[in-house]
Amino acid sequence: NILELVSQWSKYKGWWYATLACAGKTGSNGLIVRTKDFRVMEFVAMPPFNRDGMAEISSIIKDGKLYVACRQNYGIFTLLLSYYDLKKGLWGPLAAIPDGNSRPWFFTRSGRLYLMNTPDKPRKYIDISEVKLDGNQYDRTISVRKLATLEDCGYYYATASYRNQLYMVVTFNTES
């Protein structure tokens, strides 16, 4: 088995958080870890709903919640979305959207949360969607509203902010 860090690091109250995928002979639901020094990692939680997850899990922290987007095993074309409330230690509601089995990616811009994912197989498109929490503190749902679709530009992507600009990198596979 191998542990693979597949998300960006997000900081919350002095700790850095990320998600790991466990690759091996059986499926895995991944896990959340945290660190203060990038040498020692502490286990935080596992997404209990992600029984068919076997690959990348993207994560990001917004408003004290660690959002996760869980890619499923090959042939299961659904991406699972939820969040882990870091203060309460509880999982939020679950949402599912179409996915072409590629690595998802979160980013924030101007206080809003966005998700990039490949909604189709054979991975011809990238959707950029806004992710929101709807409802009140007792009855919440996650909504995903597609804002843009990019065609034939790749399916492994990441973003970074620099000097108030958002940059994106995309590859067609792990070699090009």
Side-chain angles (χ1 to χ4, degrees):
N1 286 341
I2 186 172
L3 290 175
E4 179 185 11
L5 177 69
V6 290
S7 69
Q8 59 195 302
W9 288 98
S10 297
K11 194 170 187 181
Y12 178 74
K13 293 192 175 183
W15 289 91
W16 290 92
Y17 291 80
T19 45
L20 299 171
C22 306
K25 294 180 181 178
T26 61
S28 167
N29 61 5
L31 54 111
I32 300 168
V33 295
R34 71 181 186 172
T35 184
K36 285 192 174 196
D37 60 12
F38 294 96
R39 287 179 286 205
V40 177
M41 306 287 170
E42 289 184 11
F43 171 80
V44 176
M46 295 179 83
F49 50 81
N50 194 30
R51 288 179 289 282
D52 293 317
M54 182 152 171
E56 295 97 347
I57 299 176
S58 182
S59 63
I60 196 168
I61 295 174
K62 182 176 183 309
D63 300 330
K65 295 170 178 54
L66 185 133
Y67 286 83
V68 295
C70 304
R71 176 181 169 187
Q72 299 303 285
N73 200 347
Y74 300 98
I76 301 173
F77 302 112
T78 303
L79 186 69
L80 300 178
L81 303 169
S82 187
Y83 67 81
Y84 184 75
D85 188 310
L86 294 168
K87 186 175 181 181
K88 296 178 183 176
L90 299 172
W91 285 97
L94 182 65
I97 61 172
D99 187 64
N101 289 141
S102 187
R103 180 183 65 212
W105 189 262
F106 285 112
F107 66 95
T108 58
R109 184 88 173 135
S110 301
R112 294 181 173 168
L113 177 61
Y114 297 95
L115 171 71
M116 298 170 66
N117 81 298
T118 303
D120 68 321
K121 191 70 171 173
R123 300 176 176 174
K124 286 189 170 193
Y125 305 97
I126 296 173
D127 280 352
I128 300 174
S129 304
E130 185 175 7
V131 178
K132 288 184 175 182
L133 281 180
D134 295 326
N136 60 44
Q137 64 180 355
Y138 304 107
D139 185 25
R140 294 211 176 225
T141 60
I142 294 178
S143 66
V144 180
R145 183 173 62 96
K146 182 170 49 172
L147 302 175
T149 299
L150 307 174
E151 185 176 358
D152 288 327
C153 62
Y155 44 86
Y156 290 105
Y157 28 78
T159 62
S161 293
Y162 179 71
R163 294 188 177 174
N164 206 27
Q165 295 291 318
L166 183 68
Y167 295 88
M168 178 174 130
V169 62
V170 181
T171 61
F172 276 99
N173 54 45
T174 57
E175 297 175 2
S176 63

